[in-house]
């Protein structure tokens, strides 16, 4: 009798797991079938000024691809970066592709987060009817990327946290009044599925976790305040065609332009945090169901794999850390 109820309990657990899986799958599919609401943010100001979006880290990779897609959708784009020459090249490329659009450059080193930086940015953009902000800038800073935290100097860590967390936060604080005034407005951020807590990139991983929580807080804040601002945080897996990765694309690793299309298609999906690319979403589904020891094993395994592909300077690599 008790054996019977035990096995029927297990059966019910199986059914429950299947149902949860199915709901997740349906959610993933239905989110990707919903039409994009990007055009909501494509409106002129009462005094007739055209809509602009600021994209940070727009001189390469995902930021450049997003800028291109936004321009194709009718937005004028402020291209942010730190290298004027590189940005000028991107500007001329995008101007040629989208002759009806305007582009403007914003130069700022995103590892520098002094108050004057943001005062200056606000001044430079004050004449624009900004209806969107894409906090895309980020990455591993000037470092070697894959190493245990003790290999990072205080400056390395500060750079990474500034670049991925503090700079976007201060930028939102600076531009929120503008976005509120120009609403409906869109506030996006480029995070990473490494926000789950990945070794050998711990400062980066944690900064992306911060950025995700920031988006969740802001989404609720915006609702409480009654502002018509959509907060959309992107959890991103591997993307190729970026500065640090030129490998062949695969099911789990789209090219930046393909990824950018998927991102804009998710606008208006109703959730503040999304995995915009289906291949990345598929990759992360099993993680939610695994026992933590298996999850640890899988993450460690994939980091060894990535480490061996990317690590060009073994001095601070995982192997060095292991033999210490
Ligand atoms: N590619 C991936 O597999 C992947 C995966 C998960 C998340 N992400 C996230 O996606 C975002 C874009 O990355 P990406 O792959 O497109 O990289 P990317 O090709 O290296 O582009 C990064 C952009 O940010 C700019 N940037 C970097 N450091 C800066 C600084 N200190 N000040 C100002 N601008 C700076 C770069 O400028 P320069 O051209 O001057 O370098 C470039 O425009 C990042 O937030 C990254 O964390 C990427
Ligand atoms: C800036 O970009 C140009 C053009 O891509 C490149 O040649 C130059 O090395 C870059 N400068 C720095 C400091 O990275
Ligand atoms: C720390 O920064 C220095 C100088 O920018 C760099 O050479 C080094 O690789 C970085 N270390 C790590 C672990 O990222």
């Amino acid at each position: 009798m008790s054996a019977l109820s035990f096995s029927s309990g297990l059966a019910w657990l199986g059914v429950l797991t299947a149902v949860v899986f199915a709901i997740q799958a349906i959610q993933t599919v239905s989110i990707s079938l919903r039409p994009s609401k990007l055009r909501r943010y494509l409106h002129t100001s009462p005094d007739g000024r055209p809509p602009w979006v600021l994209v940070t880290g727009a001189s390469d990779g995902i930021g450049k691809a997003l800028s291109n897609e936004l321009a194709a959708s009718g937005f004028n784009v402020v291209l942010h970066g730190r290298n004027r020459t590189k940005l000028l090249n991107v500007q001329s490329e995008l101007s040629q592709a989208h002759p009806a659009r305007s582009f403007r450059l914003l130069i700022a080193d995103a590892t520098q987060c002094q108050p004057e930086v943001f005062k200056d940015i606000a001044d430079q953009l004050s004449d624009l009817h900004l209806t969107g902000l894409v906090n895309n800038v980020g990455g591993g800073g000037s470092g070697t990327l894959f190493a245990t935290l003790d290999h990072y100097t205080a400056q390395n860590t500060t750079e990474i946290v500034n670049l991925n967390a503090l700079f976007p936060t201060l930028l939102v604080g600076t531009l929120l009044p503008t976005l509120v005034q120009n609403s409906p407005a869109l506030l996006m951020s480029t995070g990473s599925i490494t926000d789950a807590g990945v070794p050998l990139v711990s400062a980066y991983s944690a900064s992306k976790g911060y950025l995700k929580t920031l988006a969740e807080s802001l989404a609720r804040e915006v609702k409480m305040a009654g502002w018509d601002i959509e907060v959309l945080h992107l959890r991103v897996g591997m993307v190729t065609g970026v500065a640090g990765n030129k490998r062949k694309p695969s099911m789990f690793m789209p090219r930046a332009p393909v990824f950018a299309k998927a991102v804009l298609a998710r606008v208006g999906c109703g959730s503040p945090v999304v995995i915009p690319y289906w291949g990345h979403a598929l990759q992360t589904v099993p993680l939610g169901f695994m026992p933590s020891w298996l999850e640890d094993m899988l993450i460690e395994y994939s980091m060894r794999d990535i480490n061996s592909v990317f690590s060009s300077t073994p001095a601070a690599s995982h192997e060095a850390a292991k033999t210490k």
Side-chain angles (χ1 to χ4, degrees), residues 198-200 293-309 318-319:
V198 168
L200 307 182
W293 61 267
L294 192 57
E295 190 174 330
D296 286 353
M297 230 171 76
L298 206 81
I299 290 177
E300 187 183 327
Y301 174 80
S302 60
M303 283 313 287
R304 280 176 198 275
D305 190 34
I306 289 176
N307 193 25
S308 66
V309 172
H318 181 221
E319 288 311 308

Side-chain angles (χ1 to χ4, degrees), residues 140-153 155-157 159-160 313 316:
S142 57
T144 42
L145 248 185
F146 302 108
T148 50
L149 194 59
D150 52 316
H151 283 94
Y152 291 68
T153 62
Q155 194 186 334
N156 288 141
T157 301
E159 238 180 48
I160 291 170
T313 40

Side-chain angles (χ1 to χ4, degrees), residues 56-64 80-83 86-87 107-112 135-141 159 163-164 167 189-194 204 208 211 234-246 253 256 259 280 310:
T56 67
S59 60
D60 214 326
I62 295 169
K64 180 181 167 186
H80 160 269
R82 55 184 164 177
N83 181 334
K86 199 168 168 181
L87 279 170
I107 317 283
D109 181 348
T111 62
Q112 302 302 311
N135 275 311
N136 164 78
V137 81
E159 238 180 48
L163 182 63
N164 292 286
F167 186 84
S189 47
T190 310
S192 164
I193 58 175
T194 65
Y204 172 76
K208 292 303 193 188
L211 202 58
L234 314 168
R235 298 187 66 223
V236 185
M238 284 180 80
V239 174
T240 186
V242 303
N245 182 6
K246 305 288 184 201
M253 188 170 71
F259 177 73
H280 296 156
F310 285 101

Side-chain angles (χ1 to χ4, degrees), residues 73-154:
S73 307
F75 290 90
N76 304 292
V77 186
V78 181
L79 306 164
H80 160 269
R82 55 184 164 177
N83 181 334
R84 187 178 296 277
T85 314
K86 199 168 168 181
L87 279 170
L88 279 168
N89 291 338
V90 171
Q91 181 177 26
S92 82
E93 194 183 314
L94 294 184
S95 300
Q96 260 171 44
H98 313 283
R101 304 278 81 82
S102 303
F103 299 91
R104 188 188 276 194
L105 304 190
L106 176 68
I107 317 283
D109 181 348
T111 62
Q112 302 302 311
C113 293
Q114 299 85 350
E116 310 84 76
V117 172
F118 298 92
K119 169 89 182 56
D120 180 54
I121 290 176
D123 288 347
Q124 286 194 52
L125 303 179
S126 63
D127 61 317
L128 299 181
H129 177 57
L130 203 71
T131 62
L133 165 59
V134 182
N135 275 311
N136 164 78
V137 81
S142 57
T144 42
L145 248 185
F146 302 108
T148 50
L149 194 59
D150 52 316
H151 283 94
Y152 291 68
T153 62

Side-chain angles (χ1 to χ4, degrees), residues 3-27:
L4 182 68
S5 62
F6 178 66
S7 70
S8 74
L10 269 187
W12 277 110
L13 193 67
V15 169
L16 198 68
T17 308
V19 167
V20 172
F21 248 121
I23 290 174
Q24 279 223 343
I26 289 166
Q27 272 175 346

